Structures are given as structure tokens and as C-alpha cells.
Amino acid sequence: MRHLPPPAEELALLDHELARLDARRLQLLNRRAWLLSVLRAPAAPAPPPAPAVRPYVPAGPFAPVAPPAPARGTQNVLLVLGGLLLTVAAVAFTLFSWGEMGIAGRSAVLAVVTAGALMAPALLLARRLPSTAEALAVLALVLTVLDAVALHAVAAPESDGLVFSAVASAVLAAVWTLYGLLLGRLRVPLPAAVVAGQLPLVLTAWAAGASATGFGWALLVTAAADVAVVSWGRGLPVRVTAAVGAGVTGLFALLIGLGLSVSAGGALAAVGPGALLLAGAGVALAGAWRAPKEWAVTAGAVAGLASVAAVGGVLRTGLPWEWAVVVYLLCGLALLPVPRLGAPRPVGRGVLGASAAVTGGALVWALPLVAAAVLGPVSVPADVWSGAPEGFRGALGQSVPSGSAASPVVLAVVAGLAAALHVRWPGSLPEKGWRVAAAAGAVVLGWGAVLALLAVADVPYAAAVGVELLMVAGLLALAVRRGPDGVAQAAQVCGLVGAVSVGLLSLAAEPATYAVFGVLLVLFAGAAVRSASAVVRPVLAVGSVLCAIVVASAAGASLGWGAPQSAPVVLVVPAVTVLLGARLRGTTVAVAVEAAGAFGALVAVALAVTDAPFLALVLGLSGVLASATALRPERRRAAGYPAALFVAAAWVRLAASGVSAPEAYTLPVSVAAFAVGCLRSRRDPAVSSWAAYGPALSMTMVPSLVVAWTDSGWLRPLLLGAAALAVTLAGARLRLQAPLVLGGTVLALVGLHELAPHVVQVLDALPRWAPPALAGLLLLAVGATYEQRLRDARRVRESLGRMR
């Protein structure tokens, strides 16, 4: 049992614990105040260490509060504003009041002010005023720039402005560097010196009228100096400023070299830009060697890309652009051994990323030809059996891009690389499924390379069809033999896409259609039998059924029959699938085969829809197949509804025969079907009323309703309405959903038919504003009682749902 102290003792314990917590809170607040002061004034001396034990502080509303942190933010704002105002005053003095003084006076004023501004930070630092010193140091740097402008205007007004600017920026960079080193506690001079150091070489090249290559070298040397500052500079602000400068100047230098290399007309013209790019790669590597991990990866990638552009730009001269892509690709692949040469791991990854980027770019360039070879046959069905073209390009139409002769080489090279990586994956890279992905990529790219080669070589039509069939066979065999991994999935997808492509391609000629779809039927069926994957087998089985549907449709066309006459031939395929479903019952393949067979029945119905007698025949045969499927216990619930196809077949047959009194034909059948439904309902009380009584009721009522709407007499609507009323009441009494819904629907439609003329007369007699007004009132009434109507509708739906 847990001991509970007396209330007085427990209260004392709580007071003691609260006092301890308040003491700890005060300690943490004091520590926070000191940390804020350190962050806002880094030059302040280190404070004495906090005592390990704080004295006891009583709890309560009179506990002492931590002192507020010094208002460093306000001080910094005032100092920045003061320095800014002084800078503006100095600039205004130089620009507007300069002409009111002589040369000696101007120089003396600026010299005295600049000297004072340069010496003041040292005195302020000695007095422990670092923020004020920083503000005056910024003013001093601005004054040195104004001194340079004044010196040019006074001492050398005739000299070239660009040359003087280059010299002045170099001198300012040196002076600011020396000043920042002497006053090491100032944070502004050294980054300002780095910024000034970006200008001398660029301005010198501009003043000398250098070429684009000269500008590139000036930028690159500046970037190299920045990289040196990043590697050995003092202080984080200096290194960050130099890193930004190196990135900007180096990037512009590499872009200039790349542009010159790509536009070079010969090998000698490409050597200069290539040397610039190689030097840029060296600078990037030098910076990456001591950079943090992320920056090292980026620098390694830049170095790799620059090397590829340099070497490839020299080697590709004299070649067409499509073959230049191959040259750049080979140069990119030559970077793969670089990580093994002792480079740091981040740098090696960056170089590999550059190689992957070059490879990806080459693939993007080559893939349009593969897409044209795969999607080009889509236009063939518009001219079915119009005659086989002479070559493969003729079957693809205008979709083949020009200038793509090297696409097969690019695809083959990358496929070989992917296969080599699968065989021997580099130990320096994490595998984690990438090895299998490389094998899958090799399969896809190899298939694409063969298709691209067929298109480029413009092989004869028969040869192209044969080669594509062989590739489909090989891909399906690979998908069947391997386990359920990425390689098998890639092979299966490529096989299916290739089968669709070659199937469309074969529609250009009648013999090719039979040959291709016959072979595909055998291939898919054999692969479905041999495959051990529960996911692959249904897909292959569906493919074989679809090929059989195409062959059956083509057989009717070859016999010279129209689409309606060919529909019964197509139904042979669903009949076979019914037998296969019974043979393969209980498997996923059986479901897939039967679903594909149902699609074949829909195709047959679509073919026969323009001819009513053949449509009735097709619907009746489909009903027979559905009934045969319903004989199996596991399919009875799903196939019982398609048995109503018999009813639809009877309706279509009656309409095609021009029967004006369908009840003479439908009523006996309805009585027989009703008797069968009653027997089934007695044997199986759980059977749905739609399956038991729906076909019998709709067999007579629907055709009679169609005729009644076109009949001007009164006898048929009266008898049909009475029968519908009786069926509706019987359904409500026996709680049967099908009689209630069918009888009520027919009764409502018959009543609407009878009331329609009177409603039209009433609407004609009413003024034109009355119908909109009545409609508005009805909407208002429904809206006002919307919740009640919603509950009523929900109750009706629940009542119908409880019926069988």
C-alpha cells in the first residue's frame, strides 16, 4: 500500500518543491540574460562562471524577478542610423559641395575625415564599444571609396576610368584587408575586402578589350582566389562572402567556356575554351576538397560537368550534333572510375552525379525516337488492311524525329552500362535495391535500342514485325523465369507495350494481322501457364483473350461479313472463357479470363447494335453463356443478373419484327419465368427478388409500356396500369423490392402518359408567369421542409434495403 502523509506534512513538501522550482527558474532566467548579452555583443569579456549552488529563494508573489536584458537592439538601430546619415552626408558633400572649395581644401577635408574615421574604431574598441566601432568602420570604408573618386578627379582626370577603377579596387581590397587584420575584432572590413577583390581582374580585362576567353580567365582567376580565401580565410563572414563570390564568378566563367566550346567550329578553336573549362574543374575540385559535405558534392558535380564539356567540346568538332551527343556521353561515362582515385567520398559522389546527369541528358535526347517507334503504329487502325508499307518508317508516319541516327548507340551504351553495374556494383555506393533497378533499366533500354535501330535503319515491314515479335517473346520468357522483382516487372511491362505496338503495326496487312495476333495469343497463353506469379498470370491470360477477340473479329471481316454478321463469331471467345473459367475455378486467373470474356461479349453487342435481328441473336447467346456461368455455385450470384439478357433479346426481337401487340408473346414467357422464380424463391428464401421475379415482370411490362406510350387507345394503358397497381401492392404486402419498384415505376409512367395531354392543356391556359411561380413555390416548400424530406427519403431507402 502507498503511504499518504498527513495534510500538514504534504503541504510543507509542496511548498518546499515549489520553492526549489522557483529557484531553478531564476537561475535559468539569469543564464538566458547572459547568453543574450553575449550574442548581441560578442566582443565583451567572458563573464565569471555561475555558481554551482544558488541560495534558497522563497516562493510566492514577492519572489525576485530576473533583471531585463540590455537593450542592445535599440543601440544597434541608433548606431546604424547614425552611420547611414554620416555616409549620406559624406556622399552629398562629395557630389554637391565639392565645387565650392579649392583642390587643397577638398583633399584636406577628405583626408582628415577619412583618417579620423579609420582611427576612431581602434579607440572605441579599447573602450569596449564594439558596436560603435563597427558603425564608424563602415563609414571609414565608404570614405575610402570617396577618396578614390576624389583622387581620380584631382590627380588623374585624363586617365582611363576603367584602368583607374581596376587599380583603385585592388588598392582598396589590400587596404581593407590590412585594416581588418590589424583590428581583428571588426567584422566588416575583411568581407568588404573580399567584395572589392572581385573587381580588379574583371575591370582590367574590360579595359584591355579582352575577348570572351579573356573575360572567362579573369573571372576564373578571381574564383580561384575566392576558393583560397574560403579554404584558409579567417572568420565565418569572410568565408561565406568568398564562397558566394566564387560561386558567381566561377559560374559565369564556366558558362562563357561552355558557350565558346559548343560554338567552336574546329578542334583548335575548342582548345582554348576547353582549357578554361578544365581549369574551372580544377578550381571546383580544389574548393571541394576542404568544403563541407553538401558543398563538396555540388563542387564535385560542377567539376565533373566542366571536364565533360571541356574534353567533349574538343572531340566532337567535325561531327554532326547527333554524334556529338555520343561523344559527350562517353566522356561522362569516363568519370565513373574517378571515385576510386582517392578523392573524398562527397567529391566522388558529386562526380558520379555529374556522370549521371550527362547520361540522363543523352537519354532524354534519344527517347523521342523510341516513343515514335512505340506510338507511331497508333495511326495504322485508320487504314486497316490498306496494304503493308515498304519499310518500318512508312508504318510510323511522320512521327520519326529527324537527325536521330545516333539514338540507338546512346541507348545501347547506357543499357550496357546498366548491365555492367548489375553484374558488378561499385562497393563505394550503397546498393539498397539499385542493383536490381540497374538490371531493370538495362532491359528497358535494350528493348528501346532495338526499336530505335529498326526505325533508323528503316528495315522492311515484315522484318520489323518479326523482330518485334521475337522481342515480345524474349521479354515474356524473362518475366516468367525470374521471380517477382524489378527485372521481371520491367520485362512484363515492355512485353505488353511491345505487344500492343506490334499488334497495331500488323493491322496494315491482313496476313500480318492473323500471324501477329495468333503468335501473341500463343505467347500470352504459354506465359500464363508457365508463370508462377499470382500477379502476372491474370494479366497474361487477359492478353491472350484479347488477342483471340481480335482474331475472331478479323475472321468475320475476312469472310466478307459486316460487323453485325461477325458478332456471333466473336461470341465464340466468351464461350471458350466460360469453359476455361469452369476449368480454373477458384483461381485469380479464372476471374480474369471470365472478365475478359465478358468484355468480348460487349464487343459483340457493339458490333451488332446496328442490326436488330443480329442484336437479338447476340443478346440471346450472351444470355445462354451467362446462364451457363450461373450454373456454378460460386458464380450464381454474379451471373444471375446477366440472365436478364434473354429479356432484352426478346424485346429487341419483337421490335425488329414490328409486333404491335407484344403481350401475346411476352405474357406466356412471363408466366413461365414467374413460375421458375417462385420455385427458386421457395428453395432459397434468401434469393433476391430481382433474380427471382425481375425477369418475369419486366418481360411483359416494359414492352407493353413502350407500346402504350405510342398507343392512342385507352384499353392497353388501363390494363397495364391495373396490372402495375396489383404488382405494386403485392410487392408492398410481401416486402419484395423488385415488384414494388417495377410496378410503381410502370404505374407512374402510365399515369404520366395519361395525364400529359391534360397537363399540356392546363399549361397552355395558364399565363406565362404561372409555371415559374408554381415552380418557385414548390422549391420554397421543399427547401423549408428539406430536413424532413431528407429523413423521409432515408426511411424509404432503408425500407427498400430491408426488402429482398
Side-chain angles (χ1 to χ4, degrees):
M1 296 179 63
R2 187 176 179 182
H3 172 68
L4 295 175
E9 183 179 353
E10 185 177 1
L11 181 61
L13 291 175
L14 290 177
D15 290 339
H16 178 73
E17 186 67 17
L18 290 173
R20 190 180 63 82
L21 290 175
D22 287 339
R24 179 59 179 167
R25 181 176 181 274
L26 179 62
Q27 179 185 2
L28 294 176
L29 287 174
N30 290 333
R31 183 65 179 177
R32 179 179 180 275
W34 177 79
L35 291 174
L36 288 175
S37 65
V38 170
L39 291 175
R40 291 171 178 169
V53 180
R54 290 284 182 178
Y56 172 77
V57 180
F62 302 102
V65 182
R72 298 288 185 180
T74 305
Q75 177 186 3
N76 291 333
V77 171
L78 294 175
L79 290 174
V80 169
L81 289 177
L84 181 61
L85 292 175
L86 288 175
T87 304
V88 171
V91 173
F93 169 76
T94 305
L95 296 178
F96 302 107
S97 301
W98 191 252
E100 300 177 2
M101 302 178 62
I103 296 177
R106 304 169 194 169
S107 303
V109 169
L110 279 179
V112 171
V113 173
T114 303
L118 289 174
M119 290 185 296
L123 300 176
L124 293 173
L125 289 176
R127 293 180 175 272
R128 297 182 180 179
L129 298 173
S131 299
T132 309
E134 291 284 355
L136 288 179
V138 173
L139 176 62
L141 298 182
V142 175
L143 289 175
T144 55
V145 176
L146 296 178
D147 285 335
V149 174
L151 182 63
H152 177 261
V154 174
E158 303 297 331
S159 62
D160 189 358
L162 289 175
V163 175
F164 186 86
S165 299
V167 175
S169 59
V171 173
L172 288 176
V175 171
W176 292 351
T177 302
L178 179 61
Y179 186 69
L181 293 176
L182 291 176
L183 300 178
R185 293 167 62 183
L186 294 178
R187 293 176 294 178
V188 176
L190 290 180
V194 174
V195 174
Q198 312 301 310
L199 301 177
L201 292 179
V202 177
L203 294 176
T204 301
W206 191 359
S211 61
T213 305
F215 268 102
W217 280 107
L219 290 168
L220 186 60
V221 173
T222 304
D226 290 332
V227 169
V229 175
V230 172
S231 300
W232 294 284
R234 186 175 68 178
L236 182 61
V238 176
R239 292 197 297 270
V240 171
T241 307
V244 173
V248 174
T249 55
L251 179 61
F252 277 104
L254 292 178
L255 289 177
I256 291 173
L258 179 62
L260 294 175
S261 177
V262 171
S263 61
L268 293 178
V271 170
L276 176 62
L277 290 170
L278 282 179
V283 171
L285 282 178
W289 218 265
R290 300 183 60 181
K293 180 179 179 181
E294 294 78 8
W295 293 102
V297 173
T298 303
V302 171
L305 293 174
S307 303
V308 171
V311 179
V314 176
L315 298 179
R316 64 96 194 162
T317 54
L319 295 175
W321 175 247
E322 58 266 21
W323 293 104
V325 176
V326 179
V327 173
Y328 283 113
L329 174 62
L330 295 177
C331 293
L333 297 181
L335 297 176
L336 293 177
V338 170
R340 298 183 179 181
L341 301 180
R345 185 180 292 270
V347 178
R349 290 186 178 180
V351 174
L352 289 180
S355 178
V358 174
T359 306
L363 285 179
V364 170
W365 174 83
L367 286 180
L369 181 59
V370 180
V374 173
L375 301 177
V378 173
S379 60
V380 174
D383 300 319
V384 176
W385 294 357
S386 60
E390 294 182 359
F392 188 39
R393 280 179 175 266
L396 301 180
Q398 303 296 326
S399 59
V400 179
S402 59
S404 54
S407 296
V409 179
V410 171
L411 294 168
V413 169
V414 181
L417 171 66
L421 289 176
H422 174 69
V423 174
R424 187 174 182 182
W425 186 261
S428 59
L429 296 178
E431 185 173 340
K432 293 183 180 179
W434 289 103
R435 188 170 186 173
V436 178
V443 172
V444 176
L445 293 174
W447 170 68
V450 176
L451 287 179
L453 181 61
L454 295 177
V456 168
D458 195 18
V459 298
Y461 174 79
V465 171
V467 172
E468 288 202 36
L469 275 178
L470 289 177
M471 284 196 298
V472 171
L475 290 169
L476 292 179
L478 180 60
V480 169
R481 287 195 173 188
R482 290 188 64 96
D485 57 0
V487 179
Q489 295 175 1
Q492 180 184 357
V493 171
C494 291
L496 294 176
V497 174
V500 173
S501 179
V502 72
L504 294 175
L505 187 65
S506 67
L507 295 178
E510 182 177 0
T513 301
Y514 285 106
V516 169
F517 281 98
V519 173
L520 290 177
L521 172 60
V522 175
L523 289 176
F524 282 128
V529 172
R530 295 294 301 274
S531 176
S533 174
V535 178
V536 176
R537 292 182 66 189
V539 177
L540 298 175
V542 170
S544 64
V545 174
L546 295 179
C547 291
I549 293 173
V550 175
V551 173
S553 303
S558 298
L559 295 175
W561 298 344
Q565 291 79 11
S566 302
V569 180
V570 177
L571 282 179
V572 174
V573 178
V576 175
T577 60
V578 170
L579 297 177
L580 288 175
R583 176 78 175 177
L584 303 171
R585 65 173 61 187
T587 63
T588 56
V589 178
V591 177
V593 168
E594 289 173 344
F599 174 76
L602 291 178
V603 172
V605 171
L607 292 174
V609 75
T610 58
D611 192 320
F614 274 97
L615 179 59
L617 175 62
V618 171
L619 289 174
L621 294 176
S622 300
V624 172
L625 296 178
S627 300
T629 306
L631 292 176
R632 292 158 48 195
E634 72 275 8
R635 293 287 184 265
R636 186 168 300 162
R637 193 173 190 84
Y641 296 106
L645 291 171
F646 288 123
V647 178
W651 295 344
V652 174
R653 182 67 261 181
L654 292 175
S657 302
V659 175
S660 59
E663 294 84 2
Y665 301 91
T666 59
L667 193 56
V669 179
S670 294
V671 172
F674 190 80
V676 173
C678 289
L679 291 176
R680 184 181 178 187
S681 179
R682 288 184 178 181
R683 291 183 179 180
D684 186 8
V687 69
S688 172
S689 61
W690 289 98
Y693 308 111
L697 295 174
S698 59
M699 174 68 75
T700 298
M701 297 179 71
V702 175
S704 297
L705 179 64
V706 173
V707 177
W709 268 75
T710 60
D711 191 358
S712 58
W714 59 273
L715 182 59
R716 176 178 279 110
L718 178 61
L719 295 177
L720 180 59
L725 178 59
V727 170
T728 304
L729 295 176
R733 177 68 178 83
L734 300 175
R735 302 185 61 80
L736 297 176
Q737 190 179 109
L740 179 63
V741 173
L742 285 175
T745 303
V746 172
L747 182 61
L749 292 176
V750 170
L752 179 62
H753 173 265
E754 294 303 312
L755 292 176
H758 304 287
V759 172
V760 171
Q761 292 178 1
V762 171
L763 291 177
D764 290 338
L766 290 175
R768 294 187 176 181
W769 56 265
L774 293 175
L777 291 175
L778 177 62
L779 291 178
L780 287 176
V782 172
T785 59
Y786 175 75
E787 295 295 334
Q788 181 62 36
R789 301 288 79 77
L790 191 62
R791 286 192 293 269
D792 295 341
R794 191 176 294 115
R795 281 197 296 268
V796 170
R797 185 187 63 183
E798 293 173 354
S799 299
L800 285 175
R802 287 193 294 269
M803 297 181 181
R804 63 183 179 92

